[in-house]
Amino acid sequence: MVHVRILVTLKPSLLDSAGRTVTGALDNLGFSEVEDVRIGKAIVVRLKEYDEARVRAMCDKLLANPVIEDYQIEVLG
Amino acid sequence: MVHVRILVTLKPSLLDSAGRTVTGALDNLGFSEVEDVRIGKAIVVRLKEYDEARVRAMCDKLLANPVIEDYQIEVLG
């Protein structure tokens, strides 16, 4: 049994409107050291066995939108 | 300038209905090695300076709901 964490983030060139809103909200709360916030997904998948090519296929087919998102795969063990 | 990644996840005792749906969808696509999926948020914050207590305060006040969610802070540098 293997746990894999997939971090799905908007491509850096795209405006992250949720992140922009959170940046403003943190500033309003007094956290003036915050310069930027970007919000992505952290998907933890528990697998019977790990095969990187199959995990990439899951990302490309379902977990991420490769047109607007990047993803990183981390094997947690 | 410091980047900090905050991983916000539902507490393990709570049912993750989005994760459950994705587990089923992956199984339908032929990824039968998937046993479980849990979906959280990965928030990357760019800060002028890092102070752990202040980042924890951001999480407790705005970024996470401590009643139902856990969070982990990773300093990316």
Side-chain angles (χ1 to χ4, degrees):
Chain A
M1 211 177 64
V2 187
H3 285 85
V4 174
R5 182 159 64 204
I6 300 156
L7 295 168
V8 181
T9 48
L10 262 187
K11 285 186 190 284
S13 57
L14 297 176
L15 175 71
D16 177 350
S17 54
R20 190 63 64 93
T21 303
V22 169
T23 306
L26 286 170
D27 190 55
N28 288 341
L29 287 170
F31 296 108
S32 55
E33 71 267 45
V34 175
E35 293 188 329
D36 189 43
V37 177
R38 293 190 68 88
I39 300 177
K41 275 175 284 183
I43 304 171
V44 176
V45 181
R46 193 176 75 214
L47 296 165
K48 285 187 196 113
E49 66 220 344
Y50 174 62
D51 176 333
E52 190 187 331
R54 286 182 64 84
V55 174
R56 290 199 170 276
M58 291 177 204
C59 291
D60 291 328
K61 287 187 183 170
L62 188 78
L63 302 178
N65 177 349
V67 177
I68 57 166
E69 292 172 325
D70 293 323
Y71 60 84
Q72 272 173 263
I73 298 168
E74 296 173 358
V75 181
L76 303 178
Chain B
M1 210 177 62
V2 187
H3 285 87
V4 173
R5 182 158 67 206
I6 299 156
L7 296 168
V8 180
T9 48
L10 262 187
K11 286 186 188 287
S13 56
L14 297 176
L15 176 71
D16 178 349
S17 54
R20 189 63 64 92
T21 303
V22 169
T23 306
L26 286 170
D27 189 56
N28 288 341
L29 287 170
F31 296 108
S32 55
E33 72 268 45
V34 175
E35 293 188 329
D36 188 44
V37 177
R38 295 192 64 93
I39 300 177
K41 276 175 284 184
I43 304 171
V44 177
V45 181
R46 193 176 77 215
L47 296 166
K48 285 187 197 116
E49 67 219 342
Y50 174 63
D51 175 333
E52 190 188 330
R54 285 182 66 84
V55 174
R56 290 201 169 275
M58 291 177 204
C59 292
D60 291 328
K61 287 188 183 167
L62 187 78
L63 303 178
N65 177 349
V67 177
I68 58 168
E69 291 171 326
D70 293 323
Y71 59 85
Q72 272 173 266
I73 298 168
E74 294 174 358
V75 181
L76 304 177

